[in-house]
Amino acid sequence: MKRVLTGIKPTGHSHIGNYFGAIKPAIEFTQNQDNQCFYFIADYHALTTLENKQQMIDYTYDIACTWLACGLDADKVVFYKQSDIPETFELNWILCNVTPKGLMNRAHAYKACVEKNQEAGVDKDFGVNMGLYNYPILMAADIILFDSDIVPVGLDQKQHVEIARDIADYFNRKFGKTLKLPDVYIQPETATLVGLDGRKMSKSYGNTIGLFTTEEQLRKSINRIVTDSRMPGEPKDLNCTLFKLYSLFAGKEKSKLFGQQLQEGLGWGEAKKQLFEVANEYIKPMREKYFYYQNHRDEVDKILADGAAKARAIAQKTIQRVRKSIGVK
Ligand code: TRP
């Protein structure tokens, strides 16, 4: 039995890059009987960037409803909100005391801020709060608390999982073998996900296609996909954004046919219509569930409360073990 754990930060609405890169593969993990999965909403991590209370509320429900709409079965998966697990924050403090400051200086999110400040000629720590600086330690606590074996994340989070492993190891060296060292698992899909402009799909590039928008918005996003200037009748290059996106939504057979049509000169306008059709067909049943949960937030609350109870029962055991190792009763 392997423990698989991952968290999503509620910092915005999910897009199809999040779906194919993280959510869908995470749901697939849950279908393997040998895995015990822990999926949570990292709401306290989002505090480093959120601007107000309403964003916290809306984005948290957005993530919760998204997971449920995408097929997460709360009976099989321990599904919870980070802020409901106080043991996380106790472990966070304990781990702070075995984490060298230099390790945090090298964490990429902090380093990126320092580099930006240096370029701008301002103090290197300008705009950096301790939440951002200690972010990797809180993430280590999330992971270590559940004795996680495998942590599936996108490439951008790889370093954080490696830091968690290092921190667990520092603890074990100082207080004796207590904590499990987690392994990172990189979701292979993330590298190939392209956005509207052909670059990697990312919120920071503004090139995303929202997952649970209205049909009309989905159509509009697809119409914004950048194409080359080849006219209808001219063969198209299959190394294009449109074809890549189509292949995500359609099966092999259908994609092959679509590819043939493009090579035979299908116009971009018509191709976009076809992409919309397959994307919409794929998303529609999930979208209905998503809006169902958004309109029944009390059900979502109940699911998360049940998840938190299951998670805490495990977290409390870990904390007892850790307290014993450090000599706290
Ligand atoms: N830092 C992750 C992100 O930005 C979210 C996260 C928080 C996480 N805690 C975690 C991911 C623990 C995996 C395991 O995407």
Side-chain angles (χ1 to χ4, degrees):
M1 197 76 159
K2 291 264 182 219
R3 288 235 173 118
V4 180
L5 174 140
T6 196
I8 295 196
K9 217 167 33 161
T11 50
H13 296 286
S14 308
H15 54 73
I16 65 166
N18 301 134
Y19 176 73
F20 286 107
I23 300 171
K24 184 168 175 265
I27 301 277
E28 281 160 8
F29 261 111
T30 69
Q31 283 148 5
N32 181 341
Q33 301 282 324
D34 294 331
N35 293 331
Q36 187 185 16
C37 297
F38 293 75
Y39 294 162
F40 70 98
I41 305 167
D43 49 353
Y44 272 3
H45 271 115
L47 266 186
T48 59
T49 51
L50 290 186
E51 276 147 20
N52 57 54
K53 159 181 163 180
Q54 203 52 45
Q55 280 185 345
M56 180 63 104
I57 296 168
D58 289 344
Y59 293 157
T60 299
Y61 277 115
D62 182 76
I63 301 285
C65 297
T66 297
W67 274 109
L68 294 168
C70 294
L72 179 139
D73 178 346
D75 292 328
K76 284 199 198 134
V77 177
V78 184
F79 180 51
Y80 58 96
K81 230 165 55 211
Q82 180 189 35
S83 57
D84 285 336
I85 317 296
E87 291 76 12
T88 304
F89 309 100
E90 181 171 349
L91 184 59
N92 174 64
W93 173 253
I94 296 167
L95 296 180
C96 278
N97 296 280
V98 296
T99 305
K101 178 166 176 285
L103 187 62
M104 295 300 96
N105 291 340
R106 292 190 293 277
H108 65 65
Y110 171 67
K111 240 172 88 180
C113 283
V114 169
E115 277 160 20
K116 221 168 99 201
N117 285 336
Q118 277 165 342
E119 269 166 38
V122 296
D123 185 276
K124 76 176 186 17
D125 285 330
F126 179 78
V128 175
N129 60 48
M130 291 307 289
L132 174 75
Y133 192 70
N134 287 334
Y135 187 108
I137 308 178
L138 181 57
M139 185 156 156
D142 292 331
I143 295 169
I144 291 166
L145 189 60
F146 293 97
D147 292 319
S148 309
D149 294 288
I150 301 170
V151 184
V153 287
L155 204 51
D156 62 320
Q157 295 297 314
K158 182 170 179 262
Q159 189 199 26
H160 285 153
V161 182
E162 289 163 354
I163 289 175
R165 191 182 168 90
D166 287 346
I167 292 177
D169 192 42
Y170 287 130
F171 183 97
N172 288 348
R173 281 164 197 268
K174 191 163 175 182
F175 295 109
K177 196 170 168 358
T178 312
L179 305 174
K180 180 168 249 170
L181 310 192
D183 281 310
V184 65
Y185 173 82
I186 300 297
Q187 311 275 15
E189 281 94 330
T190 42
T192 54
L193 277 167
V194 288
L196 298 174
D197 55 0
R199 292 189 289 172
K200 177 179 188 283
M201 186 176 288
S202 160
K203 251 178 268 174
S204 49
Y205 292 151
N207 64 357
T208 61
I209 299 175
L211 182 57
F212 297 130
T213 59
T214 62
E215 250 182 59
E216 249 344 273
Q217 279 166 313
L218 178 63
R219 195 191 307 275
K220 276 193 191 147
S221 294
I222 288 174
N223 284 334
R224 279 177 49 217
I225 293 173
V226 178
T227 56
D228 63 23
S229 54
R230 278 175 240 195
M231 302 294 283
E234 285 183 66
K236 311 292 185 289
D237 184 352
L238 290 194
N239 188 25
C240 64
T241 308
L242 234 133
F243 183 67
K244 286 180 193 157
L245 290 173
Y246 190 99
S247 314
L248 288 174
F249 290 108
K252 271 212 180 98
E253 281 304 300
K254 229 173 153 178
S255 303
K256 205 170 134 198
L257 265 167
F258 185 67
Q260 279 167 2
Q261 283 183 294
L262 283 171
Q263 284 172 322
E264 284 161 11
L266 182 73
W268 289 126
E270 186 52 40
K272 285 180 176 178
K273 270 192 204 141
Q274 292 196 26
L275 171 58
F276 168 77
E277 290 304 327
V278 289
N280 192 46
E281 200 180 306
Y282 190 106
I283 294 173
K284 203 172 185 173
M286 299 197 295
R287 184 195 290 130
E288 279 164 12
K289 268 171 98 177
Y290 173 84
F291 285 110
Y292 171 85
Y293 283 115
Q294 278 289 15
N295 293 323
H296 296 80
R297 288 185 170 186
D298 51 333
E299 281 184 37
V300 178
D301 292 342
K302 169 90 175 50
I303 290 170
L304 289 173
D306 288 349
K310 282 191 238 165
R312 283 200 74 188
I314 297 165
Q316 276 161 359
K317 286 203 182 118
T318 313
I319 280 294
Q320 276 163 17
R321 212 169 73 218
V322 169
R323 283 173 159 236
K324 210 169 148 213
S325 291
I326 60 175
V328 169
K329 278 206 178 155

